[in-house]
Amino acid sequence: MPGLLQSPEGNFGSAKVIYALIAEFIGTMLFTFAGTATPTGNVSTQTSDSTAATSNAGGSANWAPWGNGMSLAVMVFITANVSGGHLNPAVTLATMFTGHIKIVRGLAYIFLQICGACFGILMVAGLVTNSYVGMGNNGTGCFTTGTDVTLGMLFGWETVMTFVLVSVVYAVAIGEPSFGVMGPFAVGLALFAMVFAGSQFTGTAINPARALGPAIVYHCHWNKVWLYVIAECVGGLAAGLMAGPLYGTGATWLKKMLPWIRPTEEPSGDNNELEDQAAPSNNSSKREMEMQAPLYEAKPNQSAGAKKPMSTYVQDEGTTLV
């Protein structure tokens, strides 16, 4: 018996939206929990005494890139077919900017991502010894700068690293041809690389929810958290602006500003004749729906008469999740 995600197009649209919102909340919560609880080496993320002891027991090795990269990949795999697997307000903001997700849906995603991060930190506070709500700057998972790192350096690092992460999302998930089911691996690998590069300088939040969650729960480093959030939003928007001309956009205002955007040709009709998708046609509404397809969706065979596999997530018009 098929599940909700395999239901025919046009059916149970409201239920799919609700499950998408729940997926963003739970995915971000578990990602925050797993990434925060990972033992770290000499990085800028503040740790409680128990976590620091665990790190020292393992030597000077920094496990943060492994724990964060792998946990993000796993969570994206879990949520991709349900919500698109954003799990990051910077990703959602960028896709709102390029019109790949509706504004109301995007704002709901961002709100639940931040709530999920807060609940993930609450899990850490309850399960990691010597951690508790309101403990201040020594809370497990609080982000701050390394020694001699200025606020300007913080802004630069977080902007560049978030730009890389969001650019990878566009390249492997939104762009065509996409990398299908390999997308989550690539996104996790991008986070892995960025944590390796920048953890000693900023702790590598590159996710406004990950930066805000510990600050809200532990009341830590509010004098710097705002700059983390701004830098990450700037990096995400910059990635979306760069990706728009390359991978297309669903934002009408952006199309008017960039009239050359995506003059692609794709097979159309029973004879598979090439048609310029940038030109006005009866298929424009269909194209808009395709622009809001879920991230990481494996592309089915589009030849005439081909049937979509049952595992392919089919959404109804007006309830696109990405």
Side-chain angles (χ1 to χ4, degrees):
M1 182 176 67
L4 177 64
L5 298 185
Q6 291 82 42
S7 62
E9 183 174 346
N11 291 353
F12 308 107
S14 298
K16 291 177 181 178
V17 172
I18 293 173
Y19 272 98
L21 297 176
I22 294 173
E24 285 295 310
F25 172 80
I26 294 178
T28 308
M29 178 183 70
L30 295 178
F31 167 53
T32 301
F33 170 72
T36 302
T38 302
T40 59
N42 185 22
V43 297
S44 299
T45 304
Q46 298 298 312
T47 60
S48 66
D49 294 339
S50 60
T51 307
T54 304
S55 302
N56 293 333
S60 59
N62 182 9
W63 293 103
W66 297 90
N68 283 271
M70 289 189 293
S71 61
L72 178 60
V74 169
M75 290 303 114
V76 171
F77 267 119
I78 293 174
T79 60
N81 285 333
V82 184
S83 67
H86 290 204
L87 311 183
N88 187 335
V91 173
T92 303
L93 185 63
T95 52
M96 289 169 59
F97 177 74
T98 56
H100 289 92
I101 184 173
K102 297 176 181 178
I103 294 178
V104 174
R105 181 75 54 79
L107 293 176
Y109 272 26
I110 291 174
F111 174 74
L112 289 171
Q113 288 159 358
I114 295 173
C115 290
C118 291
F119 272 82
I121 295 298
L122 286 172
M123 292 173 63
V124 173
L127 297 175
V128 174
T129 56
N130 299 322
S131 295
Y132 53 90
V133 175
M135 67 182 297
N137 290 344
N138 289 325
T140 306
C142 290
F143 288 93
T144 187
T145 54
T147 305
D148 297 328
V149 176
T150 65
L151 293 181
M153 293 177 181
L154 163 62
F155 181 85
W157 270 104
E158 288 294 319
T159 299
V160 171
M161 291 187 294
T162 306
F163 174 85
V164 171
L165 179 66
V166 179
S167 295
V168 170
V169 171
Y170 273 93
V172 303
I174 299 176
E176 296 180 2
S178 73
F179 290 80
V181 295
M182 294 301 295
F185 277 124
V187 174
L189 185 62
L191 181 61
F192 175 92
M194 292 301 98
V195 175
F196 251 132
S199 59
Q200 61 180 319
F201 301 106
T202 69
T204 315
I206 56 178
N207 184 328
R210 286 289 305 273
L212 286 170
I216 293 172
V217 173
Y218 294 128
H219 310 301
C220 60
H221 300 294
W222 276 112
N223 60 327
K224 296 178 182 178
V225 167
W226 63 272
L227 190 56
Y228 276 90
V229 174
I230 292 175
E232 290 149 7
C233 290
V234 169
L237 290 174
L241 183 62
M242 184 201 73
L246 297 174
Y247 304 121
T249 177
T252 304
W253 68 271
L254 192 56
K255 290 179 181 178
K256 293 179 180 179
M257 293 179 61
L258 305 173
W260 65 85
I261 208 165
R262 200 175 190 185
T264 57
E265 290 184 339
E266 296 180 357
S268 177
D270 295 335
N271 297 325
N272 287 333
E273 296 178 354
L274 291 179
E275 178 177 312
D276 187 353
Q277 297 296 322
S281 69
N282 294 331
N283 293 328
S284 60
S285 60
K286 178 180 178 182
R287 186 61 194 162
E288 292 298 324
M289 290 177 62
E290 291 175 351
M291 288 301 300
Q292 299 194 45
L295 300 184
Y296 316 107
E297 181 183 26
K299 298 295 186 289
N301 186 357
Q302 298 295 334
S303 60
K307 294 183 178 180
K308 293 184 178 180
M310 181 170 290
S311 60
T312 301
Y313 181 21
V314 181
Q315 301 178 73
D316 52 348
E317 185 174 4
T319 60
T320 49
L321 304 185
V322 177

